[in-house]
Every structure is written in C-alpha cells, then in structure tokens.
C-alpha cells in the first residue's frame, strides 16, 4: 500500500535517494535531511499509513515492528545505552509535515524537556 505523491513512499520504492541505515521486511530507516541531533534517523513502515493513529488501528504488529526497528537503530548508532528519544508527530498542529507515519530517533546529545 502506497500513495503516489508521498515522499516517504517514494523513498521506500527507491525513487528518491536516502541514506538508509536499517531495513527489515516491513520497515525502513534513513537519516533525516535536517537533523536536530547528532543522531536523527526516521523509521517508517514500508506500507503507507498517514499517521501513528492510523498505523495503530490498521495493522496488528506493525507499530511494534517500527518501534523495534527504532531501537535497533539506536543500538547501531551507539545511543541506546546513553538514551534516545523516539518521537511520532501526529497531525499538522503537532508538527507532522510528511503524512506517512514516521518515528524520529534522536540522540547523541542531551535532550531537554519539554521538547516544544
């Protein structure tokens, strides 16, 4: 399932290049083009879901796969032990700009709270 005009669907399909750091049969992780931390990787399901709520409602187990892939990225990037943040923006007012669900794996520096 994909959307013809979706940036992340095009990355999953290999139509737009990205710096891939991790891949499973159902997920893809790639570096953010505008990193907000030394480690800033986006983890997406290969199937198109517009946001985290749609993902949770539509496919049993896929949300787990995305979170497991995010943790694998954190381990691979060397930030799992020191701590990392996993962020899912859902909706325009939350800062979501690409409407293909994606988790931001952020780490490699102190992350303040509140984030926004």
């Amino acid at each position: 399932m994909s959307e013809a005009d979706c940036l992340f669907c095009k990355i999953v399909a290999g139509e737009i290049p990205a710096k891939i750091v991790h891949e499973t049969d159902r997920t893809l992780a790639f570096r953010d083009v505008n990193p907000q931390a030394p480690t800033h990787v986006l983890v997406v399901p290969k199937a198109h879901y517009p946001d985290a709520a749609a993902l949770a409602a539509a496919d049993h187990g896929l949300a787990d796969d995305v979170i497991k892939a995010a943790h694998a990225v954190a381990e691979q990037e060397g930030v799992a032990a020191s701590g990392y943040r996993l962020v899912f923006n859902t909706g325009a007012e939350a800062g979501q700009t690409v409407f293909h669900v994606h988790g931001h794996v952020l780490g490699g520096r102190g992350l303040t709270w509140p984030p926004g």
Side-chain angles (χ1 to χ4, degrees), residues 55 59-69:
L55 173 65
D59 190 329
H60 180 71
L62 185 54
D64 290 344
D65 290 348
V66 171
I67 292 171
K68 287 176 184 174

Side-chain angles (χ1 to χ4, degrees), residues 92-108:
E93 286 196 29
Q96 185 176 7
T97 58
V98 177
F99 289 87
H100 181 126
V101 64
H102 55 286
H104 298 255
V105 179
L106 300 154

Side-chain angles (χ1 to χ4, degrees), residues 9-85:
C9 286
K10 290 178 180 180
I11 289 172
V12 168
E15 298 169 11
I16 293 176
K19 294 180 183 173
I20 308 297
V21 299
H22 184 77
E23 184 172 7
T24 70
D25 60 332
R26 296 184 358 136
T27 67
L28 187 70
F30 50 91
R31 299 214 182 275
D32 194 295
V33 297
N34 184 24
Q36 301 300 305
T39 295
H40 190 167
V41 174
L42 303 179
V43 181
V44 304
K46 290 182 176 179
H48 181 88
Y49 295 95
D51 57 32
L55 173 65
D59 190 329
H60 180 71
L62 185 54
D64 290 344
D65 290 348
V66 171
I67 292 171
K68 287 176 184 174
H71 182 67
V73 166
E75 288 182 326
Q76 177 183 310
E77 297 287 313
V79 298
S82 60
Y84 64 95
R85 185 170 289 161

